[in-house]
Amino acid sequence: AAGTVPSLPAGVTVRNTCSQIYLTPSGRFLYVGNRGHNSIAGFAVDPATGHLTPAGQVATEAVPSAFCVDPTGNFVFAAGTATGRLASYRIDTGTGALTPLATEAVGQRPAAVLATGLGE
């Protein structure tokens, strides 16, 4: 049966729109950017049914219109359109929870984020 799983914590009523959706390469976790709440929401994905279980939200740069999961499935990078900063997070590969790492200035109104491997 289809359903709806909110990307905001219970009781939050801020005006919010979602930006992008990314699935880790393993297919175990899905992330969505919350513009308005200024967070990245995580979900565990049931491999048999595709059902999503909330894995929490982590605060991020204001108006996260662009973000990505790196090709290894270990990191999330989120750009704040309103702040011109890029935040990085480590993915807990057991739970999908995000741990904040570094934040760097990247210029005004970043519109896209792409993490890629550089080869060997």
Side-chain angles (χ1 to χ4, degrees):
T4 300
V5 181
S7 66
L8 298 178
V12 172
T13 58
V14 65
R15 182 179 180 278
N16 187 72
T17 58
C18 292
S19 59
Q20 299 176 313
I21 297 173
Y22 282 98
L23 191 63
T24 57
S26 68
R28 293 186 57 210
F29 303 106
L30 180 139
Y31 298 95
V32 59
N34 285 313
R35 297 176 293 198
H37 188 249
N38 297 327
S39 64
I40 303 293
F43 300 89
V45 181
D46 183 306
T49 64
H51 179 78
L52 301 180
T53 302
Q57 295 82 12
V58 64
T60 196
E61 295 296 305
V63 192
S65 294
F67 78 101
C68 74
V69 173
D70 83 302
T72 68
N74 291 309
F75 300 97
V76 168
F77 299 93
T81 303
T83 65
R85 296 179 63 83
L86 180 76
S88 58
Y89 305 88
R90 181 179 307 281
I91 297 172
D92 181 312
T93 56
T95 66
L98 298 178
T99 300
L101 298 172
T103 303
E104 302 291 337
V106 293
Q108 294 182 343
R109 300 191 56 78
V113 177
L114 174 65
T116 187
L118 295 177
E120 310 232 348

